[in-house]
Amino acid sequence: NLQLLKQEIREKINWFLRFADITTKADEFVESATMNPAFEESARQGYHYVETDIRLTKDRVPVLLHSDVINEYARNDDGSELSEEVRISELNYKDALKYDFGIFMGKKYAGTRLATFDEFIDLCKKLKLHPYIELKAETGLTFMDLQKLIDKVQAEDMLDNVTWISYTTGYLDYVRNCY
């Protein structure tokens, strides 16, 4: 069940944060779900599942991000907070790369950039992780966008090693019909 999975992830991340001497809470790692060290640490700790949410940039690049507003996790390169509200849906991917998504956790993570779905799937395959991928209705994800996600998973021969989750049954019906 999803709650148990999230609890397992939180416990693993809490261990990692203590190990790495970071004061960030596990929930912040879980909810930011950028390509942060937590995914790799999950595999090192023997966990087999990771969860992320998919958002789309303005130019429709699927990225790993919990919410549309990036201010909670994104920083300017100097570590300063963003002065105005910034939405990933209003940024082209190239423009999103100018933000640092790791430094809010500490200087050790400075330089962490927003990851794409493709990078995430590649990492999951490499580390033999089973991704839980949440498809959110408010992202404006179309079936064409969804098909591109499925195509990437299929290209990496991971169709049987991915779990799709969503509150939008239309997304799940579409995925089921592709399998």
Side-chain angles (χ1 to χ4, degrees):
N1 118 357
L2 181 59
Q3 292 301 69
L4 289 175
L5 174 65
K6 282 191 172 184
Q7 182 59 35
E8 179 182 328
I9 292 169
R10 282 185 177 90
E11 289 171 6
K12 169 196 54 70
I13 293 170
N14 273 329
W15 178 92
F16 170 70
L17 294 174
R18 282 191 305 276
F19 175 80
D21 195 28
I22 301 172
T23 58
T24 305
K25 295 180 180 133
D27 286 345
E28 292 174 355
F29 259 109
V30 171
E31 297 305 329
S32 69
T34 59
M35 190 72 96
N36 60 48
F39 293 136
E40 290 182 11
E41 187 58 29
S42 296
R44 278 193 288 276
Q45 288 300 308
Y47 291 89
H48 305 287
Y49 302 93
V50 291
E51 186 270 346
T52 195
D53 302 338
I54 304 301
R55 294 278 172 176
L56 295 173
T57 61
K58 185 177 178 179
D59 52 346
R60 310 212 63 79
V61 174
V63 295
L64 312 186
L65 200 60
H66 176 70
S67 56
D68 191 37
V69 177
I70 68 172
N71 295 58
E72 188 173 350
Y73 310 108
R75 299 291 183 265
N76 295 305
D77 276 336
D78 64 1
S80 64
E81 292 188 13
L82 308 182
S83 59
E84 296 178 13
E85 183 177 272
V86 179
R87 296 181 175 275
I88 196 63
S89 61
E90 297 172 359
L91 290 175
N92 287 320
Y93 180 68
K94 181 180 175 185
D95 295 329
L97 290 176
K98 74 179 183 179
Y99 297 106
D100 189 314
F101 283 82
I103 199 166
F104 81 97
M105 296 180 289
K107 290 184 180 185
K108 183 175 184 176
Y109 301 101
T112 301
R113 299 294 173 210
L114 185 62
T116 66
F117 178 78
D118 287 1
E119 292 168 333
F120 174 67
I121 292 300
D122 291 344
L123 182 69
C124 288
K125 182 175 182 174
K126 174 184 170 190
L127 299 178
K128 296 179 175 70
L129 292 169
H130 180 111
Y132 278 68
I133 302 164
E134 184 170 355
L135 308 168
K136 295 177 174 267
E138 71 272 11
T139 62
L141 189 72
T142 66
F143 290 128
M144 186 182 303
D145 297 320
L146 184 51
Q147 186 62 55
K148 290 177 183 176
L149 301 179
I150 294 167
D151 289 347
K152 173 60 179 176
V153 170
Q154 187 172 22
E156 297 304 325
D157 196 28
M158 290 184 63
L159 282 176
D160 293 333
N161 193 39
V162 169
T163 301
W164 304 89
I165 56 177
S166 183
Y167 291 109
T168 306
T169 56
Y171 289 156
L172 297 177
D173 289 341
Y174 186 89
V175 169
R176 180 178 43 214
N177 291 331
C178 290
Y179 277 71

